[in-house]
């Protein structure tokens, strides 16, 4: 996020706060004031009458329970305000960082949802979180002070949370609790930062980290769409380019380029070094997973909860990149879901910003502060300079297929060769991909998975089960191999995929293949390096 709901963000290189726009204030008696959170509460209850909510009793009770809690809180606070004769103030401020960030996040949701319908199907659930957030934030503010600032603040918080973690409908009350924790942390957990009282934690990344940790410790990740979110965000074409472009306005206005750039470049360089050392890819199908790249643009880059010095921001980005790598490896070795790799570390990084700034201002590191080179430049010119460097770096990574849609790690031929050469983790990953494609209906993948299980120590129910599936969908070599496995005969048969297999096994990490004509499939297979397919492109085209 570019900024939390406090609305203030640091001026990079100077450490000064950019003043928010002047608020429009309205003084309200308790009856009128508490009508506002009541309106949002009634909006939440109104969403509960929608068919998708009413058809799931557990989801319905989540809505009604959240609404009842807000209504009770509103009633208690209204009674207290009447007894004490409080006059409450509503300030209306439309802060640029809020609606700009909400626009960027909203465009990601729309683009992603066009290629993964679950996003659009959940629009009413996102709307429910928004109205809940407004009511909760109002009630919490007026419980602690007489003034509430009304604007677009809840939008980037809710959109950011929903770009990374959703609870499934049976457990949707946890989503409301996650939103409540974010706003409570923003309001209650604060410190002095450069002479002003500011929230410590990003109000979206803090609840994401806390709930992620809880899900890991309780082994209940299946309650969420977390894994599916991390996978399907790569479905849209040119998603890396899209994220790069939507990040530019915020980078120009708020100077967060150095954080995004240093995080992405650090992760990419690590991936290059890992590939040079092992001959395999650390993140398997990318140098920077798309969900991690999203986090580098729209999650940890909140100026209010990041270092104030430019060198500190670069260090902050480097630490985010390295911690993502470390968490991915740690979670993978422990057999835990790896999609938490971009979420768990952000609050710890938020807590470290004063230490990072202190190190950046030290005598040893001060000479390396890039802000010293650009002090003669106007602030926006300095932002443009950083953006230009980042644009060049992104272009180079794209040209080298470091980011983009054509990373070799997506395609099975690379992992088949890597497994044959006994590269680290290659056979285990190949087995995972083949098993996935087998479940999707590829008889060839079932047969190859069964052969891999028979020849190597691969976890699973055994080769016979995979070969049975391959035989059931009509891949004859799988039937032959099943009989050989059952009779203890050696020499399993491997055959090329059929045209029926290609729409499944050629998709890689992207969404479903739409052009399934033989010519298109053979062209795609040739480009991915499948043996004996390039010649068939001309044969099919000449018919």
């Amino acid at each position: 996020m570019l900024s939390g709901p406090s609305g203030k963000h640091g001026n990079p290189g100077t450490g000064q706060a950019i003043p928010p726009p002047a608020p429009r204030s309205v003084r309200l008696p308790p009856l009128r004031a508490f009508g506002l959170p009541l309106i949002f509460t009634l909006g939440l209850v109104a969403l509960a009458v929608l068919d998708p909510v009413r058809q799931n009793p557990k989801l319905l009770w989540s809505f009604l329970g959240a609404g009842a809690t807000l209504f009770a809180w509103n009633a208690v606070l209204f009674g207290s305000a009447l007894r004490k004769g409080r006059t409450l103030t509503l300030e209306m401020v439309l802060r640029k960082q809020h609606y700009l960030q909400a626009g960027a996040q909203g465009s990601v949701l729309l683009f992603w949802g066009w290629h993964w319908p679950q996003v659009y199907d959940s629009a009413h659930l996102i709307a429910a979180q928004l109205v809940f957030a407004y009511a909760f934030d109002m009630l919490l503010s007026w419980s602690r002070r007489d003034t509430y600032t009304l604007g677009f603040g809840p939008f980037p918080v809710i959109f950011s949370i929903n770009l990374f973690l959703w609870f499934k409908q049976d457990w949707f009350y946890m989503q409301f609790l996650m939103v409540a924790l974010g706003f409570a942390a923003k309001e209650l957990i604060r410190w002095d930062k450069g002479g002003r009282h500011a929230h410590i934690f990003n109000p979206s990344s803090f609840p994401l980290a806390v709930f992620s940790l809880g899900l890991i410790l309780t082994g209940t990740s299946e309650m969420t769409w977390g894994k599916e979110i991390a996978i399907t965000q790569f479905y849209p074409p040119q998603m890396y380019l899209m994220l790069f472009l939507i990040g530019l306005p915020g980078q120009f206005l708020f100077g967060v380029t150095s954080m995004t750039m240093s995080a992405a470049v650090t992760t990419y360089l690590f991936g290059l070094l890992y590939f040079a050392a092992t001959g395999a890819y650390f993140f398997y199908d990318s140098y920077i997973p798309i969900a991690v790249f999203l986090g580098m643009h729209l999650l940890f880059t909140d100026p209010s909860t990041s270092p104030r010095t430019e060198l500190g921001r670069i260090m902050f980005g480097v630490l985010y990149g390295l911690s993502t790598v470390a968490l991915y490896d740690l979670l993978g070795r422990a057999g835990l879901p790896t999609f938490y790799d971009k979420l768990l570390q952000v609050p710890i990084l938020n807590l470290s910003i004063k230490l990072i700034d202190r190190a950046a201002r030290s005598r040893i590191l001060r000479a390396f502060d890039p802000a010293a080179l650009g002090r003669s430049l106007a602030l926006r010119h300095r932002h443009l300079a950083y953006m230009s460097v980042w644009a060049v770096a992104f272009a180079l990574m794209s040209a080298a297929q470091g980011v983009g849609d054509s990373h070799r790690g997506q395609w099975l031929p690379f992992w088949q060769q890597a497994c044959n050469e006994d590269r680290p983790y290659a056979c285990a990953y190949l087995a995972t991909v083949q098993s996935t494609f087998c479940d999707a209906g590829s008889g060839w993948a079932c047969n190859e998975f069964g052969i891999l299980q028979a020849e190597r120590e691969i976890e699973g129910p055994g080769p016979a089960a995979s070969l049975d599936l391959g035989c059931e969908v009509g891949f004859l070599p799988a039937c032959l191999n099943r009989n050989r496995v059952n009779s203890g005969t050696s020499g399993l048969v491997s055959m090329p995929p059929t045209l029926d297999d290609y729409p499944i096994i050629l998709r890689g990490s992207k969404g479903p293949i739409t052009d399934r004509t033989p010519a298109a499939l053979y062209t795609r297979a040739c480009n991915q390096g499948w043996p004996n397919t390039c010649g068939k492109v001309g044969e099919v085209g000449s018919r």
Side-chain angles (χ1 to χ4, degrees):
M1 290 180 64
L2 293 177
S3 162
S6 66
K8 295 182 180 180
H9 48 86
N11 185 337
T14 66
Q16 297 175 351
I18 299 175
R24 294 175 53 195
S25 299
V26 179
R27 295 175 64 82
L28 301 171
L31 181 60
R32 291 183 60 193
F34 290 106
L36 288 175
L38 182 59
I39 290 173
F40 286 105
T41 302
L42 293 175
L44 178 62
V45 175
L47 288 170
V49 306
L50 296 176
D51 285 341
V53 179
R54 289 190 296 106
Q55 290 171 3
N56 185 325
K58 293 182 179 179
L59 179 61
L60 176 62
W61 280 110
S62 294
F63 274 61
L64 296 179
T69 301
L70 293 173
F71 183 82
W73 188 0
N74 198 55
V76 171
L77 193 54
F78 172 69
S80 174
L82 277 180
R83 288 195 305 272
K84 296 178 180 179
R86 294 173 63 190
T87 298
L88 303 174
T89 300
L90 178 70
E91 290 185 346
M92 289 169 282
V93 183
L94 303 182
R95 294 186 172 115
K96 186 179 296 184
Q97 60 269 30
H98 291 162
Y99 59 76
L100 183 68
Q101 185 74 347
Q105 295 163 335
S107 65
V108 175
L109 288 168
L110 289 172
F111 189 42
W112 174 30
W114 186 258
H115 297 272
W116 191 46
Q118 183 67 35
V119 180
Y120 289 176
D121 293 343
S122 302
H124 61 292
L125 302 178
I126 297 175
Q129 294 168 68
L130 269 173
V131 294
F132 174 85
Y134 269 103
F136 185 93
D137 196 29
M138 283 183 194
L139 292 170
L140 183 60
S141 295
W142 276 330
S143 295
R144 293 174 50 79
R145 67 181 74 86
D146 290 338
T147 301
Y148 172 72
T149 302
L150 178 65
F152 287 103
F155 275 82
V157 177
I158 299 304
F159 284 177
S160 183
I161 288 174
N162 283 268
L163 283 171
F164 296 98
L165 194 65
W166 310 343
F167 280 87
K168 294 178 181 178
Q169 293 189 1
D170 285 355
W171 298 278
F172 199 74
Y173 64 93
M174 300 291 286
Q175 197 79 17
F176 290 126
L177 291 176
M178 186 160 55
V179 171
L181 177 62
F183 282 92
K186 181 264 296 184
E187 178 70 28
L188 303 174
I189 308 176
R190 306 175 74 85
W191 62 4
D192 180 77
K193 183 185 178 186
R196 65 186 180 90
H197 200 51
H199 56 280
I200 299 176
F201 300 112
N202 181 301
S204 57
S205 61
F206 180 75
L208 285 170
V210 171
F211 274 72
S212 295
L213 183 61
L215 290 165
I216 290 172
L217 293 177
T218 56
T220 53
S221 297
E222 72 281 355
M223 294 167 57
T224 76
W225 292 101
K227 180 180 179 180
E228 292 81 359
I229 287 172
I231 292 172
T232 59
Q233 283 176 345
F234 195 39
Y235 281 5
Q238 302 300 329
M239 192 62 166
Y240 286 96
L241 178 60
M242 192 263 191
L243 294 177
F244 170 78
L245 293 175
I246 66 166
L248 294 179
Q251 291 168 10
F252 175 69
L253 292 173
F254 309 115
V256 297
T257 311
S258 54
M259 288 187 278
T260 295
M261 177 173 58
S262 57
V265 171
T266 297
T267 308
Y268 177 59
L269 291 177
F270 174 85
L272 288 178
L273 292 173
Y274 184 87
F275 181 80
T278 66
Y281 297 109
F282 181 75
F283 289 110
Y284 297 118
D285 62 353
S286 60
Y287 280 108
I288 309 173
I290 192 63
V292 173
F293 199 68
L294 175 62
M296 292 173 175
H297 284 79
L298 298 178
L299 181 65
F300 91 111
T301 53
D302 175 5
S304 296
T305 56
S306 57
R308 301 174 69 107
T309 61
E310 200 61 64
L311 179 58
R313 292 187 172 200
I314 293 174
M315 295 164 61
F316 193 68
V318 170
L319 288 172
Y320 183 75
L322 292 178
S323 60
T324 298
V325 168
L327 283 169
Y328 182 86
D329 185 63
L330 180 64
L331 292 168
R333 288 178 183 273
L336 298 170
T338 56
F339 63 83
Y340 297 115
D341 56 354
K342 59 197 169 289
L343 304 177
L344 293 170
Q345 69 273 49
V346 181
I348 298 174
L349 292 175
N350 293 153
L351 283 171
S352 70
I353 63 173
K354 292 185 178 181
L355 180 63
I356 292 173
D357 272 336
R358 194 175 304 124
R361 294 188 181 107
S362 66
R363 182 177 302 177
I364 297 175
L365 296 180
R366 192 184 309 160
F368 300 98
D369 192 342
L373 301 175
R375 286 203 174 99
S376 60
L377 297 176
L379 182 63
R380 295 288 168 80
H381 292 166
R382 202 184 313 165
H383 293 176
L384 284 174
Y386 287 123
M387 291 169 62
S388 299
V389 175
W390 170 224
V392 171
F394 179 80
L396 291 174
M397 288 192 293
S398 299
Q401 297 183 350
V403 292
D405 291 350
S406 301
H407 188 277
R408 281 198 308 160
Q410 291 186 69
W411 318 131
L412 275 176
F414 171 83
W415 291 105
Q416 287 176 312
Q417 180 180 349
C419 178
N420 290 335
E421 297 172 358
D422 290 322
R423 297 177 188 177
Y425 306 110
C427 291
Y429 182 69
L430 176 63
T432 298
V433 177
Q434 289 175 341
S435 175
T436 300
F437 289 156
C438 175
D439 292 338
S442 168
W444 174 87
C446 294
N447 187 57
E448 293 298 311
F449 182 42
I451 294 173
L452 192 63
Q453 287 178 296
E455 295 178 348
R456 297 178 180 266
E457 294 183 2
I458 301 294
E459 294 184 3
S466 304
L467 296 171
D468 276 340
L469 288 174
C471 185
E472 288 175 7
V473 298
F475 193 73
L476 295 181
C479 303
L480 175 62
N481 288 334
R482 177 193 60 185
N483 295 336
R484 290 186 175 183
V485 166
N486 290 337
S487 64
T489 305
S490 61
L492 302 186
V493 177
S494 179
M495 296 290 287
T498 68
L499 277 174
D500 291 333
D501 294 299
Y502 279 137
I504 299 171
I505 64 177
L506 297 181
R507 63 181 291 182
S509 303
K510 302 298 287 184
I513 294 174
T514 54
D515 188 351
R516 300 189 175 199
T517 61
L521 292 174
Y522 282 128
T523 299
R524 188 184 289 261
C526 175
N527 293 335
Q528 293 182 15
W530 287 87
N532 305 317
T533 56
C534 295
K536 294 183 179 180
V537 176
E539 294 176 7
V540 173
S542 63
R543 292 176 185 172

